[in-house]
Amino acid sequence: MRFIVVSGGVLSGLGKGVTASSIGVLMKSIGYRVSAIKIDPYLNIDAGTMSPFEHGEVFVLDDGGEVDLDLGNYERFLDITLTRDNNLTTGKVYSAVIEAERRGDYLGKTVQVVPHITDEIQNWLERVAAIPVDGNGAEPDICIVELGGTVGDIESAPFVEALRQFQFRVGKENFVLVHVSLVPVIGVVGEQKTKPTQHTVKELRAAGLSPDFLVCRAEEPLLPATKEKLALFCHVEPSHVLSAHDVSNIYRVPQMLNEQGVTEMIAEKLNLEIPESRPLYDDWVAMADRVDSLEKTINIAMVGKYTGLTDSYLSVIKALQHSAFKVGAKMEISWVEAASLEAKFEDKDSEKYAESWAALKAAHGVLVPGGFGIRGIEGKILAAQYARENGVPYLGVCLGLQVAVIEFARNVLGLEGANSTEFDDKTPHPTVIFMPEGSKTHMGATMRLGSRQTNLHTEDCHAFRLYGGAKKIHERHRHRYEVNPDMIADLEAAGLRFVGKDTEAQRMEIIELADHPYYFGTQYHPEFKSRPNRPSPPFLGLVEAAFKRL
Ligand code: GLN
């Protein structure tokens, strides 16, 4: 097993995850099996309780793990399926060590950060790197380990120390360290400044880790003089100083790194063979070219809560882009803050109210993504009503399905005050209700989570066509509430079709509407399994229907 560790310095948000995933693509393109582990030095056990507003979306895995969104990058770039253990946090390491201490495993010793925490980290990396991830049951050859945060943070110190020891444990010929840093341009002359990178490398080296490669984020390509200076001050070979400048689209990143020789240089260090032809690499270049050449634009109105921060809906955006790519168009998303569609908002800010409605009406399709909490619910219901009544393509994901059902109950069945008990526990018509297996006292990992099977009950529906004629569908879930089974008969009699249900036919998984071009809702989150060349079927359905309105 070879390990490629990717650390970061200077500041966060440099695109470490994309760099790490891209290096993974390059390794996969020369014929090796690649896995990935993300280290998050925070104390949370997992991302399940973290606000998408602060940390970006909570990504959900097949096994129900609620993890950092970088695991989504790995799954999409490398086309693999990861496990909850592929996201290592301080919370997980400490709880494992504390549990072992309580069992008496340490035989009377004082339990300390070094060696107990650092050993646990190294054991974890070795164990999890070996888990098969590509569906063939074979052990990976290479594991990318991304260290979250920036080197020098108090929180990441035990991980940095563990990695320092780890290079000896696995052998230097099986260990590559890539450090991602920033090269800002300052002043009228526009000089590329190397000092921040010098400092972060100094910090890394003081901790006993010397980078094999520097990947430097910059707007423009690094100048030869900048590379030389960095090489000199950072104890790295000049050819190993790589420029990660802005490129036209994200699929270009592997190509940009490859063209600087990184594939050959890593292969040499790790003793890997490079085959003559690399069809996967060619696919990526072709994909990047194709994205640049798209001319038509599809506009989807995304009616959500966190409209300021696109990371909150990262996988949804990716699934839309993959679908647009498939139909041969660019994806343009109009962010509509749900609350601003509500009538009472007009008094507060009539301009924004008008703008939001105009954006909704101008869009070729409407998407209501998943969410928790009451804010903006009435606005989402209005968006669903608008799409339903005007034949506008609609996709509701999780909460977006629940909202569509509530809207239908209120406005078609005439059930005034119909609601989810999540938002109104005294509603006269509980249309969406709390699921028996949820917990109201513990928020972490207590939802219906991960991959569950949906059965289609008819072939006469969009879902059957979109899922390629499959009647058993496996998608990922993350919810506490569900459509009230007692109301299904009435809803169905009025034209709302529950075409997909769980294996016991108790839980409603997919809704469709007869006599509408595309009105589709899923209780699951299909966005998590979307791939660049295999867009998520419900999203593709939305984008295809939207494309027809161009
Ligand atoms: N809040 C809703 C529930 O818990 C929807 C969750 C979601 O959209 N992920 O069921």
Side-chain angles (χ1 to χ4, degrees):
M1 176 69 65
R2 279 92 157 180
F3 291 88
I4 301 177
V5 175
V6 180
S7 58
V10 186
L11 44 88
S12 61
L14 286 178
K16 218 179 343 160
V18 172
T19 303
S21 312
S22 299
I23 291 174
V25 167
L26 294 175
M27 295 300 107
K28 190 174 169 179
S29 78
I30 58 171
Y32 291 88
R33 286 201 178 80
V34 183
S35 182
I37 297 174
K38 171 80 195 288
I39 296 175
D40 281 307
Y42 46 65
L43 272 160
N44 306 57
I45 295 280
D46 61 34
T49 56
M50 298 171 88
S51 159
F53 191 59
E54 271 179 55
H55 294 272
E57 78 177 358
V58 177
F59 192 80
V60 180
L61 298 169
D62 264 0
D63 68 4
E66 299 171 278
V67 295
D68 184 81
L69 54 76
D70 275 317
L71 276 85
N73 278 329
Y74 291 120
E75 287 204 339
R76 286 187 289 266
F77 270 69
L78 300 171
D79 199 4
I80 53 179
T81 304
L82 296 170
T83 71
R84 66 177 74 237
D85 285 354
N86 290 74
N87 194 185
L88 177 55
T89 64
T90 297
K92 284 181 187 169
V93 176
Y94 273 76
S95 58
V97 169
I98 291 168
E99 210 176 290
E101 185 275 332
R102 290 290 81 185
R103 273 198 310 266
D105 290 2
Y106 298 116
L107 306 173
K109 289 265 189 298
T110 307
V111 181
Q112 296 180 298
V113 174
V114 182
H116 301 101
I117 294 291
T118 47
D119 278 352
E120 177 64 30
I121 294 169
Q122 294 178 74
N123 296 342
W124 189 294
L125 294 179
E126 272 190 329
R127 173 175 64 82
V128 176
I131 299 175
V133 290
D134 62 3
N136 299 326
E139 207 176 282
D141 308 303
I142 298 172
C143 183
I144 310 282
V145 178
E146 180 189 347
L147 176 60
T150 44
V151 170
D153 297 347
I154 291 179
E155 296 190 314
S156 55
F159 292 101
V160 173
E161 169 58 16
L163 289 167
R164 185 196 64 76
Q165 297 174 20
F166 198 59
Q167 58 187 330
F168 297 104
R169 188 193 283 211
V170 299
K172 289 207 164 174
E173 66 288 1
N174 295 314
F175 187 94
V176 164
L177 178 60
V178 179
H179 193 58
V180 182
S181 177
L182 175 73
V183 174
V185 169
I186 302 273
V188 272
V189 281
E191 195 189 344
Q192 293 182 330
K193 293 292 193 185
T194 62
K195 194 65 84 171
T197 305
Q198 292 182 40
H199 276 291
T200 162
V201 172
K202 205 161 135 188
E203 197 136 20
L204 199 58
R205 295 187 64 207
L209 283 166
S210 199
D212 298 292
F213 294 90
L214 285 179
V215 172
C216 301
R217 278 290 291 132
E219 263 170 52
E220 299 290 328
L222 286 196
L223 299 168
T226 314
K227 286 193 178 182
E228 267 155 43
K229 192 163 174 191
L230 283 169
L232 191 62
F233 283 97
C234 300
H235 191 67
V236 176
E237 280 182 50
S239 62
H240 288 202
V241 180
L242 307 169
S243 171
H245 42 272
D246 292 354
V247 283
S248 56
N249 67 67
I250 195 172
Y251 305 121
R252 266 296 166 235
V253 180
Q255 182 188 4
M256 171 182 62
L257 294 173
N258 186 69
E259 284 172 355
Q260 296 178 67
V262 73
T263 313
E264 287 81 6
M265 291 186 287
I266 292 181
E268 191 187 312
K269 169 103 211 273
L270 294 179
N271 227 337
L272 307 170
E273 313 237 351
I274 301 187
E276 283 280 310
S277 86
R278 293 163 63 193
L280 179 68
Y281 177 72
D282 300 339
D283 285 351
W284 274 77
V285 175
M287 201 149 66
D289 289 344
R290 177 135 189 263
V291 169
D292 282 348
S293 71
L294 299 173
E295 275 165 11
K296 292 186 178 142
T297 304
I298 295 175
N299 181 288
I300 298 289
M302 179 107 117
V303 184
K305 183 155 96 171
Y306 309 107
T307 51
L309 199 85
T310 52
D311 268 5
S312 313
Y313 298 113
L314 190 66
S315 295
V316 172
I317 298 170
K318 294 292 170 198
L320 284 172
Q321 288 171 344
H322 300 159
S323 304
F325 180 60
K326 177 96 179 186
V327 303
K330 275 196 273 261
M331 176 52 59
E332 179 183 75
I333 297 172
S334 294
W335 297 93
V336 177
E337 195 182 318
S340 70
L341 294 170
E342 296 167 19
K344 65 172 192 254
F345 195 86
E346 195 173 5
D347 308 330
K348 219 163 61 186
D349 187 344
S350 58
E351 212 171 299
K352 185 164 177 197
Y353 173 81
E355 267 170 32
S356 296
W357 274 102
L360 186 70
K361 289 182 177 167
H364 304 119
V366 175
L367 195 154
V368 176
F372 296 83
I374 191 165
R375 205 178 89 214
I377 287 301
E378 293 302 321
K380 291 177 188 177
I381 291 175
L382 289 168
Q385 180 179 12
Y386 168 78
R388 180 179 59 77
E389 290 178 346
N390 295 283
V392 176
Y394 176 90
L395 175 62
V397 171
C398 204
L399 181 63
L401 169 143
Q402 298 175 357
V403 154
V405 177
I406 294 167
E407 189 279 316
F408 195 87
R410 285 186 191 175
N411 300 322
V412 179
L413 293 184
L415 301 176
E416 207 178 309
N419 212 331
S420 164
T421 56
E422 181 181 4
F423 313 123
D424 176 5
D425 53 13
K426 296 192 180 61
T427 166
H429 305 289
T431 309
V432 175
I433 55 171
F434 191 70
M435 271 184 305
E437 71 228 57
S439 165
K440 287 190 174 170
T441 55
H442 282 68
M443 299 309 262
T446 54
M447 284 186 260
R448 181 166 178 250
L449 283 167
S451 183
R452 308 287 172 109
Q453 183 172 316
T454 295
N455 292 337
L456 291 184
H457 296 281
T458 167
E459 295 186 1
D460 172 28
C461 61
H462 287 295
F464 183 71
R465 172 181 62 85
L466 289 166
Y467 279 92
K471 291 186 103 170
K472 290 183 176 38
I473 295 168
H474 296 92
E475 294 274 20
R476 298 177 182 174
H477 294 71
R478 184 173 189 249
H479 64 127
R480 282 196 179 82
Y481 293 80
E482 61 175 330
V483 179
N484 185 352
D486 295 342
M487 292 186 58
I488 304 303
D490 289 351
L491 291 163
E492 269 187 322
L496 193 62
R497 308 177 65 208
F498 292 88
V499 300
K501 300 180 184 173
D502 75 334
T503 44
E504 275 87 52
Q506 280 303 307
R507 305 238 136 96
M508 301 306 120
E509 294 279 9
I510 303 176
I511 60 161
E512 292 189 17
L513 199 58
D515 304 322
H516 190 287
Y518 191 75
Y519 196 83
F520 200 95
T522 61
Q523 186 57 74
Y524 52 79
H525 288 270
E527 67 270 25
F528 295 132
K529 286 174 74 171
S530 193
R531 296 286 186 268
N533 52 2
R534 255 189 351 268
S536 162
F539 284 83
L540 184 60
L542 173 72
V543 169
E544 279 174 350
F547 192 69
K548 290 199 186 118
R549 303 180 73 227
L550 271 184

